């Protein structure tokens, strides 16, 4: 078995000369099981094991810190898409199976939208899909723009230096998802505390289960209240669907928790990482300032380039033998995909380890692929565009307020991002 060092960024990443790593000789799939501790990585450094496997062993076997056995890992763009879209690979079969995992607990609840297969998955997903569709997200943009202006005005009054995660990238997505769900503003801090435990790789299964019980109790009580006093919000619509038999109570709670976690944590980290990437790539930032119409394409490239999470997401179980790349996956075996690695595939992206805001190549896979494609992709893109636009317009001299070496980054968390993002202008 191999246990690669995770302490430094792989040679050649983000160098001026692009991607100097040649395609290495591909190994026989599964001949080695790689122990992968998914250790802390500095800043936006790309995981060296994924970088190497993508080039040398695109279908490999891995063993993570927790759970039992090992699993296949697909890293190439086309293989990742194949696995994510193949109905012979099941999320539902992972329930009650202690597969190898990077956390001591399973973040996604059993029976929730992340751990079901069609037709149940299709039924659950449709209750939120319209809310996050193109028309609804476009209607939400003015409110997001209003919040961004209010928050940046308060930040300007506070003066530099200021922590952007405290003034904008944290509170805006939290408030927006809170308003969508109808969560009272005074409860947002409590949800933030629960979020920090559920998305942690350092808390025990017992601690995580206790918090899951608390958050389930919170949304059960909120559902009871909404049955008596429905509001004009998404949670009231979900409660109505549950009352009519379209959703079970566990499914209702699962959807609410998923929306809160992604709305509060994933968007906060994604946009914070985007700002950091721009401020540490001055030539790219200058290109964006010179051509503001580049912003939508820039967001897509930032989504592709930034490794927004640690390790891998939810696994799948093969329901029959199937071929993925050069590997034969046997029925019952566990399969992971790395969307992060797929976004750096040199057979798909030119100089994949370089940030290039004018890139116009294949779509990134940051929001997944297939039936489990992230339902919040459009709202995340919209919030990123709104926050970046407001920042660049309001603060033409925006810069980091501390040296890069003094930045503090989250540790022991599934999602990657800065603990704080001190800026000046």
């Amino acid at each position: 078995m191999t246990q690669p060092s995770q302490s430094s960024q792989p040679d050649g990443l983000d160098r001026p000369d692009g991607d100097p790593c040649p395609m290495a000789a591909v190994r026989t799939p599964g001949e080695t099981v790689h122990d992968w501790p998914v250790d802390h990585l500095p800043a936006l450094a790309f995981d060296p094991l994924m970088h190497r496997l993508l080039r040398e062993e695109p279908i490999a076997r891995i063993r993570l810190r927790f759970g039992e056995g090992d699993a296949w890992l697909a890293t190439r763009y086309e293989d990742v898409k194949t696995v994510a879209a193949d109905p012979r690979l099941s999320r539902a079969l992972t329930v009650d199976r202690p597969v190898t995992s990077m956390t001591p607990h399973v973040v996604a609840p059993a029976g929730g939208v992340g751990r079901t297969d069609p037709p149940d998955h299709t039924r659950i997903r449709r209750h939120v899909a319209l809310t996050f569709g193109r028309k609804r997200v476009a209607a939400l943009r003015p409110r997001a723009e209003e919040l961004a202006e209010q928050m940046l005005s308060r930040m300007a009054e506070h003066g530099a230096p200021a922590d952007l995660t405290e003034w904008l990238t944290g509170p805006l997505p939290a408030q927006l998802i809170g308003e969508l769900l109808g969560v009272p503003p005074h409860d947002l801090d409590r949800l933030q505390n629960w979020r920090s435990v559920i998305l942690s790789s350092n808390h025990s299964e017992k601690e995580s289960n206790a918090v899951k019980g608390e958050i389930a109790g919170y949304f059960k009580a909120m559902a009871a209240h909404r049955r008596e006093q429905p509001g004009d919000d998404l949670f009231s619509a979900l409660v109505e669907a549950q009352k009519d038999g379209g959703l079970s109570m566990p499914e209702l709670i699962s959807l609410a928790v998923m929306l809160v976690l992604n709305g509060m944590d994933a968007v906060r980290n994604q946009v914070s990482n985007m700002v950091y990437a721009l401020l540490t790539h001055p030539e790219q930032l200058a290109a964006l300032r010179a051509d503001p119409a580049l912003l939508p394409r820039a967001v897509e490239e930032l989504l592709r380039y930034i490794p927004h999470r640690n390790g891998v997401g939810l696994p799948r179980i093969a329901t029959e033998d199937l071929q993925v790349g050069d590997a034969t996956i046997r029925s019952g075996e566990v399969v992971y995909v790395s969307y992060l690695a797929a976004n750096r595939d040199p057979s798909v992206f030119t100089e994949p380890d370089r940030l290039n805001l004018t890139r116009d190549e294949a779509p990134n896979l940051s929001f997944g692929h297939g039936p489990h494609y992230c339902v919040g992709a459009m709202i995340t893109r919209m919030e990123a565009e709104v926050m970046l636009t407001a920042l660049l317009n309001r603060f033409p001299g925006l810069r980091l307020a501390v040296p890069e070496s003094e930045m503090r980054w989250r540790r022991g968390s599934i999602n990657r991002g800065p603990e704080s993002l001190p800026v000046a202008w």
Side-chain angles (χ1 to χ4, degrees), residues 89-283:
L89 289 153
S90 166
R91 285 274 188 87
L93 290 179
T94 65
V95 175
D96 296 327
R97 179 168 170 176
V99 302
T100 187
S101 169
M102 60 173 288
T103 58
H105 58 275
V106 179
V107 174
V113 67
R115 300 178 75 194
T116 52
D117 302 323
D120 284 339
H121 175 265
T122 309
R123 171 181 55 80
I124 298 169
R125 183 186 170 94
R126 73 167 179 261
H127 290 290
V128 294
L130 284 178
T131 298
F132 295 101
R134 192 176 303 279
K135 289 185 179 180
R136 292 285 182 89
V137 169
L140 282 172
R141 183 181 283 263
R143 176 56 175 158
E145 292 171 340
E146 179 186 21
L147 288 173
E149 290 302 323
Q150 291 173 357
M151 291 172 182
L152 290 180
S153 292
R154 289 194 287 267
M155 188 175 87
E157 290 174 8
H158 170 272
D163 176 8
L164 201 62
T165 67
E166 178 184 345
W167 292 98
L168 179 69
T169 61
L172 189 149
Q175 186 166 339
L176 201 62
I177 196 65
E179 291 178 2
L180 267 176
L181 280 174
V183 174
H186 59 264
D187 284 344
L188 291 178
D189 284 346
R190 186 157 38 146
L191 292 175
Q192 289 279 25
N193 292 334
W194 287 330
R195 169 203 60 76
S196 66
V197 175
I198 292 175
L199 293 178
S200 168
S201 58
N202 285 344
H203 286 81
S204 68
E205 183 175 8
K206 182 179 179 181
E207 290 171 316
S208 175
N209 286 339
V211 166
K212 288 176 183 176
E214 290 178 23
I215 199 168
Y218 174 84
F219 281 113
K220 280 182 182 177
M222 188 170 158
H225 178 70
R226 286 290 191 276
R227 284 192 199 96
E228 300 300 323
Q229 299 181 41
D232 184 21
D233 54 69
L234 174 57
F235 193 75
S236 294
L238 295 177
V239 168
E240 186 67 23
Q242 190 267 328
K243 188 168 66 173
D244 293 342
L247 289 171
S248 68
M249 181 56 73
E251 289 167 348
L252 167 63
I253 292 169
S254 159
L255 282 174
V257 172
M258 176 198 72
L259 294 170
V260 165
L261 294 183
N262 287 319
M264 286 188 163
D265 199 79
V267 179
R268 179 256 194 211
N269 289 316
Q270 280 279 31
V271 180
S272 299
N273 288 334
M274 288 179 181
V275 174
Y276 176 83
L278 289 173
L279 296 182
T280 54
H281 291 77
E283 75 293 344

Side-chain angles (χ1 to χ4, degrees), residues 68-86:
E68 299 176 7
D70 53 51
W72 291 97
L73 172 65
T75 51
R76 277 191 187 162
Y77 189 91
E78 291 302 329
D79 293 339
V80 165
K81 288 176 64 178
T82 295
V83 170
D86 196 319

